[in-house]
């Protein structure tokens, strides 16, 4: 196959490949960018594979960065763009099921391609657009098949993360995993427990945000991969239900986690524990907790002003997304209107400060904070106008009542 019109990112990278080739080495575009270009999708980064060794690459280019030199990867900087350039490798023993014990650099493209995960990811392309297809990846792309390169048992034994990658590509591309590859995933599912949770997380999220997460979840269930994901063990029923209702990808990481947490019936504390096991950031934990709380309410009713204010408009829309997936009516319009109608959106917008209260003779201390908190809530719920005079009167009433 010969691609005539190359996307701009490839055109820009051509001189880099040409430089390597002029020095007598081979260089190819490889990986997802080749796959996605043939599928007519946009690409996000261009990876290069070469017969040149890292030191040889560093001699050829003025500006390089050792991004993963022990694995043979050097980043070539060219006109403000970085190109990850990796020496052809044949990876041998993998005693830990995740990283080869050592990498062996080789000069042969075929050696490099045959240790890659799936045929659709084992395509290489010359700088002139000629596609090298040693494993019938083009046929699999056409048939929408995910097939391990060579012996699937070996591929998953080498790197157990590839099972989650299969699940992720099934969802992103809306492709079928071929039976022999899926069978090998079932055989090796337990090895997923050996993989760093951060890496599994990336694939899980890409799967849930992909085109057909239903497919991904269905394969996770049939191959038993779900059992080896943190805190999924008791959730077969919930996951089975999700595999039925999740007809399109979720819009964000926070939505994905909130959907899982709510489906699993986790409370505030359990949600935090769950996300800690998956090693998400604290910001994600806070956001997911707020979204779960709001989504729970949205399953049966609109958010009250105070609930909406606390959640914030952006997160309340994510909560609506979660509730809709779980069968609730879409409340986007009501939420947007209600958010626009809130008298304030942030504590700092309250038209009376602690300083104002002290000037009015209220002593600093816990009571002052309590008064401000009550005023904030009363402003949000419309019980008092957000005007200094009105708030001051209200504050004094509150204090005198105590
Ligand atoms: N566990 C892995 C990870 C990657 N690869 C190979 O390395 C390439 C690049 O990996 P990566 O960027 O992680 O995935 P992509 O297929 O490029 O997908 P994406 O578009 O999401 O980057 C893959 O295409 C595949 O050939 C592999 O064989 N086994
Ligand atoms: Mg990639």
């Amino acid at each position: 196959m010969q691609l005539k019109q190359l996307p701009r990112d490839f055109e820009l990278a051509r001189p880099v490949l040409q430089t390597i080739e002029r020095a007598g080495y081979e260089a190819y575009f490889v990986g997802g960018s080749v796959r996605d270009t043939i599928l007519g999708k946009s690409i996000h980064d261009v990876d290069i594979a070469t017969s040149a060794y890292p030191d040889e690459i560093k001699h050829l280019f003025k500006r390089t960065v050792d991004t993963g030199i022990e694995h043979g990867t050097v980043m070539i900087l060219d006109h403000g763009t970085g190109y990850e350039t990796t020496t052809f490798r044949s990876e041998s023993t993998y005693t830990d099921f995740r990283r080869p014990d050592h990498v062996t650099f080789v000069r042969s493209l075929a050696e490099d391609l045959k240790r890659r995960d799936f045929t659709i990811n084992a395509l290489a392309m010359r700088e002139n657009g000629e596609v090298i297809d040693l494993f019938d990846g083009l046929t699999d792309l056409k048939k929408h098949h995910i097939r391990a390169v060579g012996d699937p048992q070996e591929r998953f034994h080498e790197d157990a993360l590839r099972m989650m990658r299969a699940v992720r590509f099934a969802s992103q591309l809306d492709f079928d995993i071929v039976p022999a590859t899926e069978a090998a995933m079932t055989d090796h599912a337990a090895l997923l427990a050996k993989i760093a949770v951060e890496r599994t997380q990336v694939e899980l999220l890409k799967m849930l945000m992909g085109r057909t997460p239903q497919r991904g979840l269905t394969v996770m269930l049939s191959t038993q991969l779900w059992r080896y994901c943190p805190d999924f063990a008791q959730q077969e029923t919930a996951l089975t239900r999700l595999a039925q209702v999740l007809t399109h990808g979720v819009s964000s990481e926070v939505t994905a986690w909130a959907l899982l947490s709510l489906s699993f019936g986790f409370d505030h504390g359990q949600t935090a524990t769950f996300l800690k096991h998956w090693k998400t950031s604290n910001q994600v934990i806070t956001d997911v907790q707020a979204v779960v709380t709001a989504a729970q309410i949205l399953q049966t009713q609109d958010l009250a002003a105070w609930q909406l204010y606390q959640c914030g408009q952006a997160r309340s829309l994510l909560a609506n997304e979660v509730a809709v997936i779980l069968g609730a009516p879409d409340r986007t319009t009501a939420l947007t209107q209600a958010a626009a109608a809130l008298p304030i959106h942030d504590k700092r917008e309250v038209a009376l400060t602690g300083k104002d209260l002290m000037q009015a003779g209220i002593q600093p201390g816990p009571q002052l904070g309590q008064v401000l908190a009550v005023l904030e809530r009363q402003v949000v719920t419309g019980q008092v106008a957000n005007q200094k005079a009105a708030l001051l009167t209200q504050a004094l009433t509150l204090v005198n009542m105590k």
Side-chain angles (χ1 to χ4, degrees), residues 31-33 35-36 44-45 47 115-117 121-122 159 161-162 165 168-169 172 199 206:
S33 58
R35 176 196 68 224
D36 290 342
H44 50 87
D45 50 11
D47 288 319
R115 58 95 202 158
R116 290 180 182 264
D117 53 4
N121 291 342
D159 182 356
L161 182 73
R162 288 173 168 167
R165 283 172 58 87
R168 177 262 274 212
F169 288 122
Q172 281 186 324
R199 297 177 76 208
K206 284 186 177 175

Side-chain angles (χ1 to χ4, degrees), residues 36 101 110 119 303 333 346 368 380 389:
D36 290 342
D101 298 339
T119 61
L303 294 182
T333 313
D346 190 286
L368 192 142
V380 171

Side-chain angles (χ1 to χ4, degrees), residues 241-400:
R241 168 150 186 249
L242 273 181
Q244 286 157 3
V245 298
L246 201 49
T247 50
H248 57 269
V250 298
S251 70
S252 70
E253 176 181 353
V254 169
T255 323
W257 291 124
L259 178 63
L260 291 174
S261 194
L262 193 57
S263 300
F264 294 174
F266 290 163
D267 64 22
H268 218 64
Q270 288 167 320
T271 296
T273 309
F274 171 52
L275 295 181
K276 283 200 178 107
H277 290 161
W278 278 94
K279 304 209 173 157
T280 70
S281 68
N282 288 334
Q283 182 62 54
V284 166
I285 296 179
T286 310
D287 287 344
V288 171
Q289 286 177 320
V291 169
V292 169
T293 304
Q296 229 154 5
I297 299 164
L298 287 168
Q299 285 186 293
T300 53
Q301 64 204 68
D302 284 325
L303 294 182
W306 180 246
Q307 292 164 336
L308 175 58
Y309 171 81
Q310 283 192 305
C311 187
Q313 181 174 4
R315 293 192 303 201
S316 75
L317 290 173
L318 298 184
N320 180 61
E321 183 188 345
V322 171
V324 169
I325 292 168
L326 296 176
D330 186 355
R331 300 176 199 270
T332 305
T333 313
L335 279 171
T336 315
Q337 285 170 354
L342 285 176
I344 59 171
H345 296 87
D346 190 286
K347 204 196 203 92
R348 286 165 299 190
E349 292 172 41
V350 178
L352 191 78
T353 64
K355 214 169 148 195
D356 295 331
L357 286 179
M358 286 188 282
Q359 274 168 6
I362 299 177
Q363 296 304 310
Q367 195 194 23
L368 192 142
Q370 284 161 10
V371 170
L372 282 172
V374 171
L375 291 179
E376 180 191 5
R377 192 169 180 137
Q378 291 189 340
V379 168
V380 171
T381 54
Q383 287 169 265
V384 59
N386 191 29
Q387 289 157 356
K388 202 168 188 163
L391 288 167
L392 201 52
T393 310
Q394 184 72 351
L396 294 171
T397 318
L398 285 167
V399 173
N400 290 338

